Amino acid sequence: MGWGDLGAFGEPSKETPNLDQMAAEGMLFLDFYTANPLCSPSRAALLTGRLPVRNGFYTTNAHARNAYTPQDIVGGIQDSELLLPELLKKAGYINKIIGKWHLGHRPQFHPLKHGFDEWFGSPNCHFGPYDNREHPNIPVYRDWEMIGRYYEDFKIDLKTGEANLTQLYLQEALDFISKQQASQQPFFLYWAIDATHAPVYASKQFLGTSQRGLYGDAVREIDDSIGRILRHLQQLGISENTFVFFTSDNGAALISAPKQGGSNGPFLCGKQTTFEGGMREPAIAWWPGHIPAGGVSHQLGNVMDLFSTSLSLAGLQPPSDRQIDGIDLLPVILQGKLIDRPIFYYRGNEMMAVRVGLYKAHYWTWSNSWEEYGKGIDFCPGQNVSGVTTHTQEEHTHLPLLFHLGRDPGEKFPLSFASEEYQRVMERIAGVVQQHKDTLVPGEPQLNVCDKAVMNWSPPGCEKLGKCLKVPESDPGKCSWPH
């Protein structure tokens, strides 16, 4: 979902009344980022509080390549990483993930092995339908075992866009909250639905209801679902004891625009890129009785901060034996403070850009390759900015491209290298970058090796359903990442 997809962020059709109300009752973050312009690394960052280059969710197969966890990936979240639910258990929390996991699908990477007590959802996105010979359809799990597969047992109509997955995920959330409230149990719910990921879907009652087409229908259903979750908390009398945060894993995927792509508002490009449109996210914090209503913050925030903030709320300290990149946002949310911190924009193993205050310096630029662009793959449709949206990897490490995001949120007008402002700002940013690089210890890359034999052929529980598929011979090799 993109920064510009919600009415509270200026979307003209105003079709998100519940999220807009959530913002009116809570705090809107205008400068909130993900840790990566792609789904699985950003989710790994959220749950570990660490940059993907530290937690292993990157590749070294080629320079600055976005890599994720498709069916044939061998890697995933390592046992050495400490995930938020593992730590919350120490404070007595019951933890549930609903929806997309995307941190590896092999048995050792299962979410219930990494702190979650319950899971209803899928290890990957709802791609398909596959033929179950070259590619198996993606499984849907309840806890340890699969209960079916997308397109077979969980229908997604690619012609009409109809699927009731969001409704299933909503009911799971409401039931889980009710159960924990009844037993007076503290809980952590990670509601990770994927309805705005192409191929886009929505349930029957939302189809055809948006001015924005099928993508808008999906956004409307998500908005309605979040409204129902917040009302449920209020009806159960636990809203004042429940901190809720809404955000996205990366910017809107303009590659599927205009029919199945969202809006990144005034920002440049979209998902897959380290321009603002790829990594700046809609973000709302809600906690009635604690967060002053109608707050708007310009704090530079990141999904990794949800790790540190959640631990703080639970009365826990972050692990001291590793570098944690997330900061505790409670002083920002409860007292309106501003904390000085940089934002690092990574693409694979390369730091592409950094933001300090209102300034953003690009050390590398690359939208996508000429070869991919020639195939019609475009992450910046209608947004060619000469010398900025480059189709070859352009290095600017000696003279970074510098933008003032207050005056130029669309990254269209680089500051003059000769200006006093450029010299002054780059001196400050250079120090921040040097300190970051001096202390960076990259994790072992998890997204280098692919093997057809590790795909979802025979997930746990397939025997009971008669849905085990024949596993091909193992043939591991280097993954190819074009983006």
Side-chain angles (χ1 to χ4, degrees):
M1 189 180 281
W3 190 94
D5 276 332
L6 307 183
F9 285 80
E11 203 289 313
S13 61
K14 301 281 186 191
E15 293 179 346
T16 52
N18 295 289
L19 283 161
D20 297 349
Q21 181 68 22
M22 182 184 180
E25 294 171 4
M27 177 173 277
L28 202 64
F29 282 83
L30 298 179
D31 297 76
F32 196 85
Y33 291 85
T34 183
N36 191 271
L38 207 64
C39 35
S40 43
S42 65
R43 290 159 194 262
L46 183 152
L47 290 174
T48 62
R50 285 151 58 78
L51 283 164
V53 73
R54 294 194 215 273
N55 65 37
F57 269 71
Y58 71 104
T59 180
T60 54
N61 284 358
H63 178 249
R65 291 301 200 279
N66 282 331
Y68 67 110
T69 53
Q71 281 208 61
D72 58 350
I73 200 81
V74 169
I77 195 71
Q78 302 166 88
D79 288 340
S80 57
E81 291 296 324
L82 287 171
L83 273 62
L84 177 59
E86 291 178 76
L87 297 166
L88 289 175
K89 269 183 178 295
K90 295 176 183 175
Y93 280 73
I94 297 291
N95 310 303
K96 180 159 186 164
I97 170 173
I98 297 173
K100 178 175 163 184
W101 167 238
H102 223 180
L103 301 193
H105 58 274
R106 297 169 71 205
Q108 65 266 42
F109 307 128
H110 193 291
L112 270 59
K113 285 195 174 177
H114 293 273
F116 285 102
D117 299 291
E118 298 179 22
W119 181 25
F120 179 78
S122 179
N124 298 77
C125 221
H126 55 282
F127 293 128
Y130 294 121
D131 58 14
N132 285 343
R133 293 185 304 277
E134 291 295 314
H135 283 87
N137 274 321
I138 308 286
V140 175
Y141 280 77
R142 180 171 294 287
D143 299 332
W144 287 108
E145 297 185 341
M146 72 175 281
I147 54 173
R149 294 182 188 268
Y150 284 139
Y151 297 95
E152 297 169 27
D153 313 280
F154 294 86
K155 304 296 183 192
I156 303 170
D157 189 322
L158 290 178
K159 286 184 181 169
T160 64
E162 184 180 347
N164 69 340
L165 290 171
T166 302
Q167 292 303 307
L168 294 176
Y169 293 149
L170 169 62
Q171 197 56 52
E172 284 287 323
L174 300 176
D175 292 348
F176 175 73
I177 292 166
S178 295
K179 185 177 160 190
Q180 305 319 314
Q181 189 272 339
S183 60
Q184 298 293 294
Q185 185 73 46
F187 65 88
F188 166 54
L189 172 61
Y190 176 32
W191 199 62
I193 55 161
D194 63 356
T196 52
H197 193 300
V200 176
Y201 61 80
S203 59
K204 195 165 190 176
Q205 70 260 41
F206 289 94
L207 286 179
T209 63
S210 169
Q211 295 181 57
R212 305 179 66 199
L214 181 56
Y215 182 89
D217 296 343
V219 171
R220 289 201 65 226
E221 184 167 16
I222 290 170
D223 175 76
D224 180 77
S225 300
I226 289 165
R228 287 183 61 185
I229 290 169
L230 298 184
R231 285 193 295 277
H232 193 56
L233 292 169
Q234 289 169 323
Q235 287 157 7
L236 292 175
I238 57 172
S239 60
E240 295 199 0
N241 293 332
T242 310
F243 177 81
V244 185
F245 201 95
F246 171 87
T247 191
S248 173
D249 62 347
N250 42 247
L254 302 185
I255 186 175
S256 46
K259 289 197 172 176
Q260 298 208 355
S263 166
N264 294 316
F267 303 121
L268 186 62
C269 300
K271 176 179 176 175
Q272 296 268 12
T273 77
T274 49
F275 300 110
E276 290 297 286
M279 291 183 63
R280 201 189 295 206
E281 310 303 330
I284 304 167
W286 185 86
W287 189 12
H290 300 270
I291 298 175
V296 176
S297 178
H298 286 283
Q299 171 66 43
L300 299 192
N302 196 292
V303 292
M304 298 180 289
D305 301 341
L306 300 179
F307 176 89
S308 302
T309 305
S310 299
L311 291 178
S312 180
L313 284 162
L316 299 169
Q317 292 294 320
S320 58
D321 64 342
R322 64 201 60 207
Q323 178 72 41
I324 300 296
D325 296 292
I327 64 170
D328 179 4
L329 290 176
L330 287 187
V332 175
I333 293 167
L334 301 180
Q335 297 152 32
K337 291 188 176 176
L338 284 177
I339 301 166
D340 185 26
R341 63 91 68 91
I343 295 292
F344 297 104
Y345 303 70
Y346 268 85
R347 190 167 180 159
N349 58 347
E350 185 61 72
M351 191 204 79
M352 304 287 283
V354 63
R355 178 175 174 184
V356 174
L358 284 167
Y359 292 93
K360 179 178 178 182
H362 288 267
Y363 287 76
W364 288 84
T365 52
W366 189 40
S367 48
N368 64 330
S369 69
W370 281 114
E371 184 187 359
E372 293 286 294
Y373 184 67
K375 294 177 187 170
I377 295 169
D378 191 356
F379 304 136
C380 313
Q383 289 189 303
N384 178 42
V385 180
S386 181
V388 179
T389 54
T390 55
H391 290 293
T392 52
Q393 292 186 25
E394 298 290 341
E395 185 174 3
H396 308 281
T397 51
H398 298 300
L399 270 179
L401 298 182
L402 185 64
F403 296 90
H404 186 293
L405 294 177
R407 301 193 295 260
D408 176 26
E411 297 170 278
K412 293 180 175 64
F413 306 103
L415 271 64
S416 165
F417 298 135
S419 68
E420 183 274 331
E421 183 181 13
Y422 181 93
Q423 306 292 333
R424 173 173 44 84
V425 172
M426 279 315 305
E427 193 174 333
R428 183 180 172 209
I429 291 178
V432 170
V433 169
Q434 193 59 51
Q435 184 183 14
H436 172 66
K437 295 207 165 176
D438 285 348
T439 57
L440 181 66
V441 180
E444 186 182 337
Q446 295 297 299
L447 308 178
N448 278 354
V449 181
C450 288
D451 185 353
K452 274 200 164 185
V454 306
M455 290 201 287
N456 293 288
W457 302 106
S458 298
C462 67
E463 302 91 347
K464 296 177 189 173
L465 303 171
K467 284 194 171 285
C468 301
L469 301 168
K470 188 183 176 187
V471 181
E473 233 176 273
S474 179
D475 183 23
K478 260 189 172 187
C479 304
S480 174
W481 306 106
H483 303 315

